[in-house]
């Protein structure tokens, strides 16, 4: 979850609704990875497992799109007021 939140600009940049979606995305990613590991160990998957994988993958993609698939830049520059305060104190 921390990496996803970081990509969204950090803890201070996300809403509680986004935090909930991040939690869903992380859970869905783990579930998909567990299924894929099971497929690899067994060397096959039945129709029910493939259907679940597909539904989880589609839901994951939709949740990722809701959050935004691109990283958000975190503003690290001071505001004008902060800059002016720093300059007047120097």
């Amino acid at each position: 979850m921390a990496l996803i939140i970081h990509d969204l600009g950090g803890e201070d940049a996300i809403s509680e609704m986004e935090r909930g979606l991040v939690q869903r995305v992380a859970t869905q990613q783990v579930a998909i990875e567990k299924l894929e590991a099971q497929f690899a160990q067994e060397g096959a998957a039945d129709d029910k497992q493939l259907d679940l994988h597909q539904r989880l993958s589609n839901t994951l993609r939709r949740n990722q799109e809701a959050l935004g698939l691109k990283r958000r830049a975190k503003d690290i520059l001071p505001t004008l007021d902060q800059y002016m305060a720093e300059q007047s104190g120097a």
Side-chain angles (χ1 to χ4, degrees):
M1 282 182 40
L3 292 174
I4 299 169
I5 291 172
H6 181 271
D7 283 350
L8 295 172
E11 290 283 343
D12 296 337
I14 64 171
S15 69
E16 200 57 37
M17 298 277 271
E18 288 172 317
R19 189 178 317 284
L21 275 175
V22 166
Q23 209 169 354
R24 299 294 88 67
V25 165
T27 301
Q28 290 159 353
Q29 285 177 331
V30 169
I32 290 167
E33 289 172 11
K34 286 175 77 174
L35 276 174
E36 290 169 348
Q38 183 180 353
F39 297 164
Q41 286 179 341
E42 295 175 3
D46 63 31
D47 289 342
K48 186 176 178 181
Q49 291 170 314
L50 289 172
D51 179 63
L52 176 60
H53 185 273
Q54 181 178 1
R55 286 185 290 117
L56 282 169
S57 296
N58 287 336
T59 303
L60 173 63
R61 179 191 48 79
R62 285 192 304 272
N63 285 336
Q64 289 171 326
E65 286 175 348
L67 286 171
L69 297 175
K70 295 185 180 181
R71 293 184 71 189
R72 297 180 193 167
K74 186 174 183 177
D75 187 11
I76 59 170
L77 297 175
T79 64
L80 180 57
D81 290 337
Q82 291 169 333
Y83 177 78
M84 295 302 288
E86 289 174 14
Q87 295 305 309
S88 64

